[in-house]
């Protein structure tokens, strides 16, 4: 699956129709959530996705607003409710303390989805390149790159700087030619990542600048009086700054992941407990900054579609152990050089860690980052 993001150029009536769709969807969402909650609280009865979908036609007949929204979009709302309950129950079962699914306020619902794409469906491209959305109209699109594969769904999203269409396409696997190379990657604070080949991927500078702007924007909002027009303006600027950071981060992850997937058949990474690390005060900023979690998911997706492997290995003592002789060389975080008293091997601390990660790739089988068993990998 590949997703394509296109900026929309709606007319005023189309804009109003999209805002209206969001409002209707949000009310339906909240209503469906209340139905499930009440059925359980009053009658100890569970309401299913199928039941809620089946009740839509009857609701539509009674409502003045529901008919203004395409039926697939309404079904998708039911899907979202169902998914948030599934997530809730899954987390309850695994012993966490999740919050009950929430009602969505005005600013907390900003997308709707056509679950089918193409001729005779809710969303399709017209011959003149406009994106035809049922009940909204034929919207002009900045189509800066062509779609590949078979488009499956179309999600319309409201963001701080306008409206976007996100079209998910089934592209099938696009395997890359084998290179016979495997790499280990260490995530660092000094560099974003260090490869077992000794290369360092520096932290993105652009991101730093975007983050400084974000801080300024945040302060501007806090200074201004609640409910004032000036604060509202500042709030929009803050949302845009957030958007910029998110985009810069994603772009960086894509570039790094693309390069790795092209060069290596198998990529070994540490099995990291991101949640645990963000709790750690000192590492918190760097880890969340570096966006390692985002990177791993981008890398995994790219690897999957290119028939490459991402292998998660045990991360204990990767920076302490000597990658050459296996001896344990304890060192503080401030010590940047690994210098082994047993065998004399010397390397940058992060390089040594990356080599350890590479060494830990199991010769046959093991966990991959996407939860399957790794097949034999040449280490
Ligand atoms: Zn050694």
């Amino acid at each position: 699956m590949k997703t394509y993001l296109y900026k929309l150029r709606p007319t005023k009536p189309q804009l109003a129709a999209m805002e209206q769709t969001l409002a209707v969807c949000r009310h339906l969402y909240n209503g469906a959530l209340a139905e499930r909650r009440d059925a359980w609280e009053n009658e100890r009865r569970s309401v299913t996705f199928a039941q809620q979908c089946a009740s839509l036609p009857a609701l539509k007949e009674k409502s003045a607003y529901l008919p203004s929204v395409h039926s697939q979009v309404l079904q998708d709302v039911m899907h979202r409710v169902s998914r948030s309950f599934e997530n809730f129950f899954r987390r309850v079962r695994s012993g966490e303390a999740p919050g009950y699914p929430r009602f969505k306020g005005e600013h907390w619902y900003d997308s709707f989805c056509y679950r089918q794409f193409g001729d005779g469906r809710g969303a399709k491209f017209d011959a003149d390149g406009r994106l035809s959305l049922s009940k909204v109209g034929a919207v002009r699109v900045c189509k800066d790159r062509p779609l590949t594969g078979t488009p499956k769904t179309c999600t319309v999203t409201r963001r701080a700087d306008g409206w976007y269409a996100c079209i998910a396409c089934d592209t099938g696997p696009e395997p890359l030619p084998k290179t016979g190379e495997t790499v280990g990657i260490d995530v660092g604070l000094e560099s974003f990542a260090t490869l077992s080949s000794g290369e360092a991927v520096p932290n993105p500078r652009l991101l730093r600048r975007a983050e400084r702007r974000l801080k300024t924007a945040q302060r501007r909002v806090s200074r201004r009086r609640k409910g004032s027009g000036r604060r509202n303006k500042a709030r929009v600027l803050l949302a845009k700054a957030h958007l910029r950071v998110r985009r810069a981060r994603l772009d960086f992850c894509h570039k790094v992941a693309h390069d790795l997937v092209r060069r290596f058949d198998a990529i070994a990474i540490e099995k990291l407990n991101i949640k645990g690390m963000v709790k750690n005060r000192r590492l918190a900023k760097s880890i969340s900054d570096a966006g390692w979690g985002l990177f791993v998911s981008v890398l995994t997706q790219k690897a999957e579609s290119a028939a490459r492997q991402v292998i998660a290995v045990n991360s204990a003592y990767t920076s302490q152990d000597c990658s050459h002789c296996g001896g344990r060389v304890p060192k503080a975080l401030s010590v940047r050089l690994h210098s082994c008293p047993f065998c004399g091997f010397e390397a940058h601390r992060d390089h040594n860690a990356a080599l350890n990660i590479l060494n830990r790739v199991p010769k046959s089988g093991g966990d991959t980052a996407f939860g399957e068993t790794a097949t034999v990998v040449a280490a």
Side-chain angles (χ1 to χ4, degrees):
M1 277 291 203
K2 229 179 201 172
T3 54
Y4 290 88
L5 192 69
Y6 298 116
K7 181 142 193 178
L8 297 177
R9 300 255 177 251
T11 60
K12 273 202 175 139
Q14 288 168 349
L15 201 68
M18 295 196 298
E19 293 280 1
Q20 159 92 351
T21 303
L22 276 190
V24 171
C25 287
R26 185 168 71 85
H27 281 108
L28 182 64
Y29 183 97
N30 288 339
L33 206 137
E35 186 192 8
R36 285 188 179 224
R37 186 195 58 186
D38 296 345
W40 181 252
E41 281 184 357
N42 303 335
E43 311 163 37
R44 288 285 174 257
R45 178 171 64 85
S46 299
V47 181
T48 65
F49 168 66
Q51 285 166 349
Q52 292 199 307
C53 277
S55 70
L56 275 174
L59 281 176
K60 246 177 163 175
E61 276 186 19
K62 277 185 279 175
S63 160
Y65 299 105
L66 286 180
S68 69
V69 177
H70 191 253
S71 56
Q72 282 170 21
V73 174
L74 297 177
Q75 264 183 30
D76 179 65
V77 173
M78 297 313 193
H79 205 80
R80 290 182 191 199
V81 175
S82 160
R83 210 163 42 205
S84 64
F85 272 92
E86 275 164 24
N87 289 340
F88 171 69
F89 290 129
R90 177 178 45 76
R91 295 184 60 196
V92 169
R93 271 196 303 274
S94 70
E96 293 169 64
Y100 194 77
R102 284 176 188 232
F103 291 100
K104 302 275 187 192
E106 208 186 327
H107 296 295
W108 293 95
Y109 204 97
D110 46 22
S111 72
F112 56 92
C113 177
Y114 294 88
R115 295 176 64 77
Q116 291 180 332
F117 197 96
D119 283 327
R121 308 271 160 69
K124 62 168 186 163
F125 274 116
D126 287 343
D128 62 359
R130 284 171 200 243
L131 181 62
S132 174
L133 301 173
S134 172
K135 309 272 183 175
V136 172
V139 185
R140 278 204 299 153
V141 182
C142 294
K143 209 173 174 192
D144 41 16
R145 57 179 185 156
L147 285 175
T148 58
T150 319
K152 291 290 183 192
T153 63
C154 173
T155 307
V156 179
T157 307
R158 179 179 61 191
R159 296 209 174 141
D161 63 346
W163 288 77
Y164 292 83
C166 187
I167 299 171
C169 297
D170 190 354
T171 49
E174 299 168 329
L176 288 168
K178 294 268 176 243
T179 62
E181 301 284 333
T182 300
V183 73
I185 307 178
D186 175 68
V187 224
L189 307 180
E190 218 176 292
S191 314
F192 176 77
T194 307
L195 313 190
S196 51
S197 59
E199 285 166 73
V201 181
N203 275 311
R205 284 249 273 316
L206 266 177
L207 192 53
R208 286 256 159 252
R209 208 185 308 160
E211 272 166 350
R212 268 203 303 277
R213 281 204 204 108
L214 186 62
K215 242 186 215 162
T216 320
Q218 179 67 65
R219 276 197 296 262
R220 195 162 43 211
V221 173
S222 354
R223 263 201 320 266
R224 295 185 177 176
R225 194 163 41 81
K226 269 194 185 157
S228 70
R230 294 181 75 235
R231 187 186 171 107
N232 250 343
K233 266 184 207 157
R235 211 175 40 83
V236 172
L237 287 178
L238 174 64
K240 284 186 182 169
H242 267 296
L243 211 52
R244 243 189 314 260
V245 169
R246 204 163 72 203
R247 282 179 185 149
R249 202 171 268 166
L250 193 63
D251 178 58
F252 174 75
C253 287
H254 270 287
K255 279 180 182 147
V256 176
H258 179 79
D259 182 56
L260 290 171
V261 164
R262 196 178 48 78
R263 287 167 55 199
F264 302 101
D265 288 347
I267 299 157
I269 54 172
E270 290 174 67
K271 213 179 279 169
L272 273 189
N273 172 8
I274 306 250
K275 257 193 212 154
M277 294 197 84
V278 175
K279 268 185 206 148
N280 176 333
R281 276 282 169 104
R282 187 163 49 152
L283 292 183
K285 177 116 182 69
S286 314
I287 293 294
S288 51
D289 269 8
W292 181 244
L294 177 68
F295 175 70
V296 171
S297 70
V298 170
L299 180 69
T300 309
Q301 266 172 34
K302 275 204 196 301
E304 222 167 341
S305 84
R308 302 292 212 222
Q309 264 188 323
V310 176
I311 302 157
V313 304
N314 181 4
S315 61
Y317 298 106
T318 45
S319 57
Q320 311 290 325
D321 289 358
C322 175
S323 60
H324 198 246
C325 70
R328 187 151 295 170
V329 190
K331 44 181 143 351
L333 194 63
S334 58
V335 180
R336 303 313 299 167
L337 184 77
H338 166 81
S339 173
C340 181
F342 309 110
C343 71
F345 177 71
E346 275 195 359
H348 187 281
R349 173 199 179 93
D350 295 341
H351 183 198
N352 180 59
L355 286 167
N356 276 324
I357 290 166
L358 178 62
N359 291 342
R360 287 182 192 185
V361 172
K363 293 282 182 289
S364 58
D367 285 348
T368 64
F370 28 95
E372 297 161 11
T373 314
T375 43
V376 182
V377 179

